[in-house]
Amino acid sequence: LETNKRSQKPIKIIKKKNMGRAFVYVILGGGVAAGYAALEFVNRGLSIGELCIISQEPVAPYERPALSKGFLLPEAPARLPSFHTCVGANEERLTPKWYKEHGIELILGTAVKSADVKRKTLLTATGETISYKILIVATGARALKLEEFGVTGSDAENVCYLRDIADANRLVDAIQSSPGGNAVVIGGGYIGMECAASLVINKINVTMVFPEEHCMARLLTSKIASYYEEYYKSKGVDFIKGTVLSSFDFDSDGKVTAVNLRDGRKISVDMVVVGIGIRPNTGLFEGQLTLEKGGIKVNGKLQSSNSSVYAIGDVAAFPVKIFGETRRLEHVDAARKSARHAVAAIMDVDKTDEFDYLPFFYSRVFTLSWQFYGDNAGEVVYYGDMSGGGTTFGAYWVSKGHLVGAFLEGGTKEEYEAIAKATRLRPEIEDLGELERQGLGFAVTT
Ligand code: FAD
Ligand code: NDP
C-alpha cells in the first residue's frame, strides 16, 4: 500500500515484477533423462522456444555412467564434450550448440528452489519464475552422506562421493594426490565396485568395506558375487565384510588419515570413496504430488498425480509389468527409455501405449562386463564356466514356472540380445535341470 500524494488516501499498487519466462515444456534437471527427452522432443517436431531445461549442473546433459569408468582412467580419460547425451545409446551427441540450434533454452548452473504445481511455476535460485504448460521432473537423485549414518567429517578433501562432474573432478584430484597410496571404499554396490576397479587401475591399494556378506547384495547371488570378489582379490583388493565405518581420524590439515570400523579395526588411508546409495530428489514436490517407493508415482504414461507433471529417470516410480508393481529403477537404460516414453505420451498420446519396460542393468569393470535383464526373483539356475579370470557364465531366475530374469558375464552382443529377448518372452520352464543343461543355448534358441 502507498499513499496518493494529492488525496492522501491509501492506494494499492500492483508492481509488475520481472514475470520471468514461460515455456510450453520445461524439463527440471539436466541429467541423462533430460538429454534423451530433449532428443525425443526434437525428433517429434519441437518448435523453437517451446522447451527449456533447467539444471543446477554447469554443463549440458551427459552420460553419467562415464564418471565411474572412462572419466577415472589414468590414460586418455573421457572428458566433456565427448560424453554428452545421447552417445551412450549410439545416438547424436547433444552439445550446447545442438540445443541452441534447436531453439531449446538451457538454463545451466541454476537450481530450482521451489515448485508450485497448481500455478505451474518454478522459482529458481536466481529469483526467476519460470512457468510451464507441461513439466517433466528429471531431478535424479543425490548420494547418501555418511553423516546420515551418524559418521562426521565426510566433507574432508580426501573423502569422495560420486554423483556429478564436480564429484568426479574431486575424485580425480584425490587419486592424483595418492600415487601408490591406500584407499578405503565404503559400500559394496555399483559405485563401490566400479570405483574400486578404477582405483586399482590407477595403482592405488584398495580395501572395500561393506555391511553385507557379499558385494552387490541386492542384485547378485553369493555365488555370482564370489566370482567378482575373487577376481578383485586377484587384482589386490581386500574385502572387509559385515561391518561399517564408525569414525575417521584426521591430521592437522583436516585430511582423513585413517578409518575406524565398528568391529574395532583401524585402516590407514590416503583417500576414501563412499558409495552407500542414493535418495531421489523429490523434495520440491512433497505434499504436491503422490510419492511412492521414495519417488514420484507415475502411471504408464509417466504422468504423475498432477496431469501437467511427468516424472522420468531415477526420480520416477512407475509400473513395471515384470515385477507386477510400481518400482523405481536407478539405472541409465530406465532413464533413457522413460524419458522417450514420456515425451511420446506428451506429444502423441493417442499413439502411445503404456510403458512396458524390461529392466536392464549392466556394469563394466577391468576387462569384465555383465548384463542383467528382468527380475532376480525365484530359483536360480547357473550355467557356464565360473572358474574365474574372465570366463563366460550366467544365470536364469525362474519364478512361478516362468523365466523372469537372466544374467550373463562375458557375452557377445548377440548373446546379450538373446537373454534380453528370452526374458521378455517369459517362457514357461518345466524342468530346471533341462534349463541348466541347455544353459546359454536356451536363450539363443528361444
Ligand atoms: P541424473 O542423471 O542424476 O540427473 C539429474 C539432474 O537433475 C542433475 O543434473 C541434477 O543436478 C539436476 N537437479 C536435481 N535437482 C535439481 C534442482 N532442484 N534444480 C535444478 N537441477 C536439479 N546406470 C547404469 O545403468 N549403468 C551404469 O554403468 C551406471 N553408471 C553410473 C555411474 C555413476 C558415477 C553414477 C552416479 C550413476 C550411474 N548409473 C549407471 C546410474 C545412472 O547414471 C542414473 O540412473 C541416471 O543418471 C539417472 O538419470 P536422471 O536423469 O534421472 O538423473
Ligand atoms: P547401491 O545402492 O548400489 O549400493 C550401496 C551399497 O552401500 C550397498 O552395498 C549398501 O548396503 C551399502 N551401504 C549402505 N549403507 C552403508 C553404510 N553406512 N556403510 C557402508 N555401506 C553401506 O548404491 P551406490 O552408492 O553404489 O550407487 C549409487 C547409484 O548409482 C545407484 O543408483 C546405482 O544404481 C547407480 N550406479 C549404477 C551403476 C551401474 O548400473 N553400473 C554404476 C554406478 C552407479 P545395503 O544394500 O545393505 O544398503
Side-chain angles (χ1 to χ4, degrees):
L1 289 179
E2 286 183 9
T3 311
N4 184 311
K5 282 193 184 117
R6 257 187 286 159
S7 67
Q8 290 300 304
K9 282 189 183 154
I11 50 166
K12 196 172 181 181
I13 305 277
I14 298 173
K15 282 187 181 158
K16 246 195 165 178
K17 282 197 204 154
N18 170 17
M19 294 303 281
R21 286 173 276 182
F23 296 88
V24 182
Y25 311 112
V26 170
I27 302 176
L28 168 51
V32 172
Y36 282 78
L39 183 60
E40 189 68 28
F41 269 120
V42 167
N43 289 345
R44 285 176 178 271
L46 184 78
S47 301
I48 303 280
E50 277 186 332
L51 173 64
C52 150
I53 298 177
I54 312 170
S55 178
Q56 62 195 13
E57 288 194 76
V59 292
Y62 58 88
E63 302 283 357
R64 203 163 298 280
L67 299 184
S68 53
K69 303 174 189 72
F71 200 92
L72 302 180
L73 291 177
E75 306 283 336
R79 289 290 180 270
L80 288 174
S82 74
F83 59 96
H84 280 299
T85 57
C86 300
V87 292
N90 292 322
E91 302 217 33
E92 235 175 308
R93 185 163 56 95
L94 315 183
T95 57
K97 190 165 161 247
W98 180 91
Y99 291 93
K100 206 167 182 187
E101 279 167 4
H102 291 87
I104 298 171
E105 191 76 31
L106 264 186
I107 304 180
L108 299 177
T110 304
V112 166
K113 288 292 178 203
S114 66
D116 185 332
V117 302
K118 283 209 180 86
R119 290 208 170 89
K120 300 191 179 185
T121 56
L122 304 171
L123 178 64
T124 70
T126 53
E128 187 180 8
T129 298
I130 292 180
S131 53
Y132 60 83
K133 286 201 171 116
I134 300 279
L135 174 67
I136 302 182
V137 183
T139 44
R142 65 174 179 83
L144 278 173
K145 293 280 148 76
L146 283 168
E147 277 68 9
E148 294 167 69
F149 296 87
V151 176
T152 52
S154 82
D155 53 352
E157 94 182 42
N158 58 340
V159 176
C160 304
Y161 293 87
L162 185 54
R163 184 72 204 178
D164 57 22
I165 289 273
D167 295 338
N169 281 324
R170 194 179 148 109
L171 178 52
V172 168
D173 287 347
I175 289 171
Q176 288 173 352
S177 311
S178 315
N182 298 320
V184 162
V185 172
I186 307 287
Y190 288 93
I191 291 283
M193 293 302 280
E194 293 189 3
C195 288
S198 294
L199 291 171
V200 169
I201 293 166
N202 280 280
K203 299 194 167 40
I204 290 174
N205 307 305
V206 177
T207 303
M208 292 192 71
V209 178
F210 50 83
E212 303 97 334
E213 283 172 16
H214 61 80
C215 68
M216 301 288 296
R218 261 180 268 168
L219 179 67
L220 302 184
T221 64
S222 62
K223 191 166 169 170
I224 300 177
S226 78
Y227 176 94
Y228 292 102
E229 289 182 11
E230 289 307 315
Y231 191 91
Y232 274 55
K233 283 183 201 162
S234 76
K235 298 279 179 191
V237 174
D238 283 332
F239 286 88
I240 300 180
K241 306 180 204 175
T243 191
V244 292
L245 181 80
S246 58
S247 65
F248 291 119
D249 291 351
F250 301 92
D251 66 12
S252 53
D253 295 330
K255 276 177 87 169
V256 169
T257 54
V259 302
N260 299 302
L261 305 184
R262 197 171 287 166
D263 69 6
R265 274 185 266 195
K266 182 190 283 292
I267 310 166
S268 297
V269 291
D270 298 289
M271 61 178 289
V272 177
V273 178
V274 185
I276 55 170
I278 61 166
R279 282 287 175 275
N281 292 318
T282 55
L284 296 172
F285 300 98
E286 271 156 32
Q288 301 195 73
L289 301 176
T290 305
L291 304 183
E292 193 174 317
K293 302 265 164 78
I296 295 172
K297 184 180 166 135
V298 293
N299 62 19
K301 306 242 191 267
L302 286 311
Q303 193 174 31
S304 75
S305 54
N306 179 301
S307 61
S308 304
V309 182
Y310 291 69
I312 56 178
D314 282 8
V315 80
F318 61 90
V320 185
K321 278 191 187 165
I322 200 162
F323 300 142
E325 60 180 31
T326 292
R327 293 261 185 107
R328 225 175 31 73
L329 296 176
E330 302 169 354
H331 292 272
V332 74
D333 183 65
R336 292 170 182 156
K337 290 188 176 140
S338 62
R340 288 183 157 144
H341 200 87
V343 174
I346 289 166
M347 293 189 86
D348 202 352
V349 71
D350 295 334
K351 287 200 192 129
T352 306
D353 296 330
E354 302 287 293
F355 190 39
D356 183 10
Y357 181 67
L358 177 68
F360 165 44
F361 315 146
Y362 71 89
S363 186
R364 287 191 298 272
V365 285
F366 298 112
T367 53
L368 306 180
S369 172
W370 59 259
Q371 296 193 7
F372 171 86
Y373 293 87
D375 191 10
N376 59 342
E379 289 184 80
V380 191
V381 172
Y382 299 95
Y383 61 84
D385 177 5
M386 296 183 79
S387 60
T391 51
T392 298
F393 72 92
Y396 297 114
W397 279 258
V398 178
S399 178
K400 297 178 188 146
H402 288 268
L403 188 138
V404 296
F407 174 93
L408 177 61
E409 161 63 45
T412 61
K413 187 171 169 281
E414 293 72 28
E415 288 166 343
Y416 287 128
E417 282 167 8
I419 63 161
K421 186 172 155 237
T423 312
R424 185 170 273 292
L425 291 171
R426 288 175 59 99
E428 198 173 344
I429 305 293
E430 285 172 3
D431 181 351
L432 295 183
E434 179 55 25
L435 181 63
E436 189 179 359
R437 266 188 298 283
Q438 289 191 28
L440 185 55
F442 176 82
V444 173
T445 54
T446 294

